[in-house]
Amino acid sequence: MLNAKYFTKYEPIINIKTQKIFAYEALSKFEIDNNLISTEEIFRHLHHNNKLFFELEKRNKLLQIKNFPKKKKLFLNFDADICVSNEQQSYWELFLNELKDNIVVEITENGSDDETSANIMRNFSLWLNSKQIDTALDDFGQDGSMFSFYMMNGSKYIKIDKSFLRQIECNRNYLHYLKGILKTIRLNGQLSIIEGVETQADYNLVKTLDCDYVQGYYFDEYQIVV
């Protein structure tokens, strides 16, 4: 894994009002034996090898920082499981403090909604807030999960999962549910990012909503791969 061919796709996050790029999200890509392996599949296995997971992410994050488009904020995906030991916390505190004005730590679910995992994620979020590092909650409401509501408080940005737009395609009544979530986010003093904008129809829809930012394949012309 440590010797795998690695590259990063920087996916733009668009300000819905100005229609300009606000930030980029760094997405890891791996190639092993000439095969592109999904990040989700790799990280799922790495939860069983914390030492390797930590070492891999140290390398990944250094490369993501080195190559990211300057003068834009950078959203970095972090799994709470790589920030549990004293060694790990010390490393990431030093790493993130030097970058805190330019980055947002995107807290990702680790594939489990059991109580232990939930507490690890919540403690990670509280730890980041104590260091005054901006955070984003990723994949909010994914596939109807209520787990996101447990983690909602504390993050500056709430990234609404792409499944919302796909559900609205099938049943327009889900639009009212999405509007309610967006209103709650705004009342909480947080900022919303709608993920999964893939078509002109998606874009036309989100422009009518009270959201702050959007992200998705529709904006691929602005992406950067390094």
Side-chain angles (χ1 to χ4, degrees), residues 111-124:
S112 175
D113 59 359
D114 61 62
E115 186 175 349
T116 299
S117 297
N119 285 331
I120 289 173
M121 290 179 65
R122 187 170 180 81
N123 289 338
F124 182 48

Side-chain angles (χ1 to χ4, degrees), residues 203-222:
Y203 190 40
N204 291 341
L205 173 62
V206 296
K207 285 191 292 185
T208 69
L209 300 174
D210 191 18
C211 68
D212 298 291
Y213 305 101
V214 292
Q215 183 178 356
Y217 296 142
Y218 181 75
F219 308 104
D220 268 6
E221 63 181 296
Y222 302 114

Side-chain angles (χ1 to χ4, degrees), residues 17-28:
K17 294 180 176 63
T18 66
Q19 300 183 34
K20 294 181 179 179
I21 297 172
F22 162 68
Y24 286 90
E25 178 185 352
L27 300 173
S28 300

Side-chain angles (χ1 to χ4, degrees), residues 3-146:
N3 295 321
K5 184 178 179 181
Y6 167 86
F7 60 96
T8 303
K9 181 173 77 169
Y10 295 92
E11 190 169 278
I13 297 172
I14 307 296
N15 184 309
I16 194 69
K17 294 180 176 63
T18 66
Q19 300 183 34
K20 294 181 179 179
I21 297 172
F22 162 68
Y24 286 90
E25 178 185 352
L27 300 173
S28 300
K29 303 293 178 182
F30 299 90
E31 188 176 287
I32 301 175
D33 296 330
N34 296 317
N35 292 314
L36 189 64
I37 309 297
S38 77
T39 305
E40 293 80 7
E41 180 181 346
I42 289 174
F43 282 12
R44 187 163 52 249
H45 288 293
L46 285 173
H47 280 111
H48 303 291
N49 190 332
N50 184 262
K51 182 178 179 180
L52 177 59
F53 197 4
F54 177 51
E55 292 301 321
L56 182 66
E57 279 293 76
K58 284 199 297 185
R59 183 199 69 169
N60 294 348
K61 295 298 180 277
L62 284 171
L63 290 172
Q64 288 171 350
I65 289 295
K66 177 182 177 181
N67 295 316
F68 93 97
K70 303 303 185 286
K71 298 183 179 180
K72 301 292 182 185
K73 277 194 176 292
L74 180 65
F75 281 59
L76 289 173
N77 287 282
F78 267 80
D79 190 306
D81 281 3
I82 60 168
C83 193
V84 290
S85 70
N86 290 333
E87 175 195 358
Q88 292 169 351
Q89 289 186 350
S90 295
Y91 177 85
W92 293 123
E93 181 175 2
L94 180 62
F95 179 84
L96 294 170
N97 268 331
E98 295 178 355
L99 305 162
K100 63 177 9 177
D101 292 336
N102 299 314
I103 65 162
V104 176
V105 172
E106 195 163 317
I107 302 174
T108 61
E109 293 190 29
N110 59 13
S112 175
D113 59 359
D114 61 62
E115 186 175 349
T116 299
S117 297
N119 285 331
I120 289 173
M121 290 179 65
R122 187 170 180 81
N123 289 338
F124 182 48
S125 178
L126 292 171
W127 180 79
L128 289 166
N129 287 334
S130 74
K131 307 302 177 185
Q132 298 182 310
I133 297 168
D134 285 344
T135 63
L137 178 59
D138 193 24
D139 296 334
F140 181 87
Q142 184 177 37
D143 297 325
S145 170
M146 297 299 291

